Amino acid sequence: MQKMMNSSIIYHYTKVKGTFFYLPLFLLISIALYLYTQDSLDAYSYAQIQKNTFFYLNSKLSQYPDLQSNLSETGDTLVAFSFLSLFVLYAPKVWEDLLSASLVGLLFSIVLKKIFAVPRPAAVFNTDNFVIIGKTLCGCNSLPSGHSITVFTTLTVLLLTFMPKKTIHKIVLCSFVLVLGLILVLARVAVGAHYPLDIIVGSIIGYISGLLGIFINQKYNIWSWINNKKYYPVFILMFITICFLMIYKEMHENLMIFSLSLVCLIISICKITTVYAKK
C-alpha cells in the first residue's frame, strides 16, 4: 500500500511555479488598498470597519456552539498533525512538504502578529454584544488568524500533492478544498476569536506558506530522511507526546475533535511501530 500511494503522489504531484503566487499576492494587495481607502490601516479602525460583519457572522454561526468549537480546533497544528500522522508511513512526501510549510506558516504568524498587533474582538467590543465560545481571548494578536494559516497550509500541501491530472477534476477538487477551508476557518469568527479579515488574510498566508513549503522541499529536499525506517522512532516519540497533549486538551475542553485526534495517533503509533519492528 505504501508503494502504491507513493507512486500515486509522484504521478499527481504538482510542482510549484512562480505564477502560483500571483493570485494570493494580488488578494493581499487588494485588501491593503481597501483598508487604505477606508482609512482603516490602524488597529482601532481595522476593527471598527468590520464590526457589523463580525457581529452578523458571529450571531449566525454561533448558533451551533458544539460544532463550531470542534471545527475551530482543526486549526490547531497538533490536531492537523494527528489526522495526518499515518501519512508518515504511507505517504512520507506529504510530511516532507508539511513540515517545511508549517515552519514557514509559524514564522509568518509570529512575525505578522507582532507587526500588526491588532487586539482581539473581546478587547475592542463589549462582550455582551457577541457570542464567545470557549476561552475569551483578549490579546493583541488577532491579525492574521494562526488557525486559518494552519488550515490552509495543510490543505494546500494536500491539494498540490494529490492534484488530479484532468482539468475538470482539478476544478472540482480545488472548489471542494476552498469550501472546506472556509467552513473550518469561519469557525474562528463563530467562537468570537477573530474578525472576518483576520481569517481571510490568514487563509491567504496559509496558502502562500503551503506553496513556499513545497517549493523549499523541491529545491533542498531537507526532509528526505522521513522515508527512512530508522528514523521512525522520532515520529513514534513525537506522536506519543502529542497523545498526552490531546488527552490533556480532552480533559479540559471535552471536544470530540481531540478524541478523534487521539484515535488517529494511537492507530498511527501502532502501525509505525509494527513496521519499524519488522526492519
Side-chain angles (χ1 to χ4, degrees):
M1 182 176 178
Q2 182 179 3
K3 291 183 178 180
M4 288 177 61
M5 186 169 287
N6 280 331
S7 298
S8 175
I9 288 175
I10 293 172
Y11 176 74
H12 291 286
Y13 189 69
T14 302
K15 288 191 175 182
V16 173
K17 302 176 183 177
T19 54
F20 287 16
F21 293 91
Y22 291 170
L23 179 59
L25 290 176
F26 170 76
L27 292 174
L28 288 177
I29 292 172
S30 298
I31 292 172
L33 288 175
Y34 168 73
L35 292 174
Y36 174 76
T37 58
Q38 300 298 313
D39 195 23
S40 300
L41 290 177
D42 63 282
Y44 176 78
S45 299
Y46 171 85
Q48 293 301 319
I49 198 175
Q50 301 178 76
K51 180 177 180 180
N52 293 334
T53 305
F54 169 73
F55 284 168
Y56 176 79
L57 290 175
N58 175 262
S59 66
K60 296 298 181 184
L61 296 173
S62 61
Q63 296 178 33
Y64 311 96
D66 291 338
L67 174 63
Q68 297 298 348
S69 293
N70 283 281
L71 291 179
S72 174
E73 291 304 323
T74 57
D76 185 321
T77 302
L78 296 182
V79 171
F81 280 7
S82 299
F83 281 117
L84 299 179
S85 56
L86 199 57
F87 279 22
V88 168
L89 184 62
Y90 294 112
K93 179 63 181 170
V94 171
W95 269 88
E96 291 175 21
D97 294 334
L98 183 62
L99 287 177
S100 294
S102 296
L103 289 174
V104 173
L106 177 62
L107 180 62
F108 272 134
S109 180
I110 293 173
V111 172
L112 293 177
K113 282 177 180 290
K114 290 196 176 203
I115 290 175
F116 297 127
V118 174
R120 299 270 188 167
V124 177
F125 306 131
N126 187 331
T127 55
D128 292 333
N129 295 331
F130 66 97
V131 178
I132 295 177
I133 301 173
K135 296 179 181 178
T136 301
L137 302 177
C138 298
C140 292
N141 57 352
S142 194
L143 177 68
S145 163
H147 281 65
S148 300
I149 291 177
T150 298
V151 167
F152 271 86
T153 295
T154 305
L155 289 178
T156 299
V157 169
L158 292 175
L159 176 64
L160 295 186
T161 302
F162 296 101
M163 183 70 78
K165 293 295 181 180
K166 292 184 178 180
T167 302
I168 184 64
H169 293 165
K170 287 182 179 180
I171 294 174
V172 171
L173 182 60
C174 289
S175 299
F176 171 76
V177 169
L178 179 60
V179 172
L180 174 62
L182 290 176
I183 290 174
L184 297 179
V185 299
L186 276 170
R188 297 303 289 167
V189 177
V191 300
H194 283 286
Y195 310 101
L197 280 180
D198 291 348
I199 65 169
I200 293 174
V201 172
S203 299
I204 297 171
I205 296 297
Y207 175 66
I208 293 175
S209 299
L211 294 179
L212 288 175
I214 294 173
F215 175 78
I216 291 171
N217 204 50
Q218 286 174 350
K219 190 168 184 180
Y220 300 105
N221 200 25
I222 56 179
W223 306 104
S224 58
W225 54 268
I226 291 176
N227 199 26
N228 191 326
K229 287 184 181 180
K230 74 177 183 178
Y231 295 109
Y232 280 4
V234 174
F235 286 96
I236 293 172
L237 181 60
M238 181 177 76
F239 292 154
I240 289 175
T241 302
I242 297 177
C243 273
F244 284 110
L245 293 174
M246 287 299 115
I247 292 173
Y248 177 83
K249 286 176 176 286
E250 174 61 24
M251 289 175 60
H252 286 77
E253 300 181 44
N254 192 29
L255 294 177
M256 184 181 295
I257 193 75
F258 298 137
S259 298
L260 293 175
S261 299
L262 186 60
V263 170
C264 291
L265 286 167
I266 293 173
I267 293 174
S268 298
I269 291 170
C270 292
K271 288 280 188 179
I272 296 172
T273 302
T274 300
V275 172
Y276 179 72
K278 291 180 179 179
K279 71 174 186 175

